[in-house]
Amino acid sequence: MPQSHIMPGFRPALGFTLLYLTLIVLIPLSALLLKSLNLSLEQFWGILTNKRVIASFQVSFGAALIAAAVAAALGFVIAWTLVRYPFPGKKLFDALIDLPFALPTAVAGIVLATIYEPKGWVGKWVIEATGVQIAFKPLGIVFALIFIGLPFVVRTVEPVLQEFDLAMEEAAASLGASRWQAFIKVIFPNILPATITGFALAFARGVGEYGSVIFIAGNMPYISEVVPLLIITKLEQYDYAGATAIGLTMLVISFLLLLFINSLQWWVRHRSGQL
C-alpha cells in the first residue's frame, strides 16, 4: 500500500492545510503587498534608500548572518558532545538547551543586557580585559541572536548524529583513516545538511527578532537599530505605508536568502548521495 494512502481523509486534510495556509500566511502577506501598492515606485524607492533604513538593514541582516554562523559552529559542537560523550549532569544540560524556547524574549533581553552592560558581571570584566563593549552595541545584538538561535542548530543536528551509523566510522578506521580523516570524509558530509538547516532556522529567527534585541542593542540610529524596531517606530508615527514598504522588502530579502540556503542544502545532500 502506498504510504500516501495509509491514512484516510486526503481531501479533508488537504482542505485544512490550504485553509490554514490561506488564513495564517497568504492573507497577511497579501495585505502587506496591497498596502505597499499605495506607494508610487519613487516613494517606495525613496523609503528604502533612506540612510537610516539602509543602516538598519545592514545591522539586522549582518548580525543575523554572523550569529547564525556562530550558532551553527557552537551548536554542532554541543550536539556532538551530547550524543557522543557521557558526563555528569548531561540530562540537565540537555534540558537547558531548550530554555530560550520557553523563556520570553523580553526577559532574555533584559537578562542579557544586565549581564553584558558596561557595569554588569560579564560586561565589566570584558571591558577591563579587552576594552570591548558588548551591550548597547551591534555586538550585543549578535550575542542575543546567538542565544535564541543556538537551540535550533542543536535540535536539528542532534537527531542526525544519533541516527548516524557508527559502522561507517569503524569501516573508515579499518581502512587506515585517522580520526580527523574519518570525521572530514565520512561524518561531516552526512551532518552538513542538518547543520545548514539549523543555520537557516537560526538566521530566519534572528532577522525578525525584536524582544531579546531591543534591550541590549541600545537602539541608536545608524549604529544599533534593527529593522523590526524601525518598523515599530514607523507604526507609532502612523506611517503605515513606510512600515509596510520596509516589511515587504525585508520579507523578499529573507525569502531570497532562505531560498539560496535551501538550494545549498539540496546541493550538499545531492553531492553526498543522500538524495
Side-chain angles (χ1 to χ4, degrees):
M1 182 181 297
Q3 290 185 351
S4 59
H5 298 122
I6 289 177
M7 295 185 64
F10 167 73
R11 291 182 179 179
L14 179 61
F16 174 80
T17 302
L18 294 177
L19 178 64
Y20 169 80
L21 290 176
T22 300
L23 294 177
I24 304 300
V25 180
L26 295 181
I27 291 179
L29 294 183
S30 300
L32 183 65
L33 178 61
L34 292 174
K35 191 67 177 180
S36 300
L37 293 178
N38 295 332
L39 296 169
S40 66
L41 186 60
E42 293 181 357
Q43 291 174 325
F44 192 91
W45 184 250
I47 293 173
L48 297 184
T49 54
N50 181 274
K51 291 183 179 180
R52 183 176 178 182
V53 175
I54 293 175
S56 297
F57 273 104
Q58 291 175 342
V59 171
S60 288
F61 284 96
L65 283 171
I66 295 173
V70 175
L74 296 179
F76 181 90
V77 174
I78 293 174
W80 179 276
T81 303
L82 290 174
V83 172
R84 289 299 185 99
Y85 305 117
F87 55 88
K90 179 177 178 179
K91 292 185 178 179
L92 176 61
F93 184 78
D94 188 46
L96 290 176
I97 297 297
D98 296 325
L99 184 61
F101 288 146
L103 192 67
T105 55
V107 175
I110 293 173
V111 172
L112 291 173
T114 302
I115 294 175
Y116 290 111
E117 68 172 342
K119 296 182 180 180
W121 300 338
V122 181
K124 182 178 180 181
W125 176 81
V126 172
I127 289 179
E128 292 176 352
T130 63
V132 176
Q133 181 178 335
I134 298 176
F136 315 131
K137 297 289 184 179
L139 184 59
I141 300 175
V142 174
F143 271 61
L145 297 184
I146 293 174
F147 175 78
I148 64 169
L150 190 64
F152 288 97
V153 181
V154 175
R155 294 313 181 204
T156 304
V157 175
E158 189 176 13
V160 180
L161 282 173
Q162 291 173 342
E163 296 175 1
F164 181 77
D165 189 2
L166 294 178
M168 298 174 61
E169 191 174 348
E170 294 172 355
S174 65
L175 293 174
S178 64
R179 292 184 178 181
W180 181 248
Q181 290 175 328
F183 176 80
I184 295 297
K185 299 293 185 179
V186 179
I187 301 175
F188 188 69
N190 289 276
I191 307 301
L192 183 58
T195 306
I196 295 176
T197 301
F199 171 86
L201 292 173
F203 170 74
R205 173 67 186 274
V207 166
E209 181 60 24
Y210 177 76
S212 63
V213 169
I214 57 172
F215 294 102
I216 196 173
N219 307 321
M220 292 179 287
Y222 306 100
I223 298 176
S224 59
E225 185 179 44
V226 294
V227 175
L229 177 61
L230 185 59
I231 294 175
I232 294 296
T233 303
K234 293 282 187 182
L235 292 175
E236 291 176 346
Q237 297 172 352
Y238 301 101
D239 185 6
Y240 300 118
T244 52
I246 296 173
L248 180 62
T249 305
M250 189 176 187
L251 176 66
V252 172
I253 296 175
S254 300
F255 175 78
L256 292 176
L257 286 173
L258 289 175
L259 180 62
F260 169 75
I261 293 172
N262 288 330
S263 300
L264 178 62
Q265 180 193 23
W266 177 87
W267 180 78
V268 171
R269 290 173 65 90
H270 187 267
R271 283 287 302 269
S272 62
Q274 298 182 29
L275 291 178

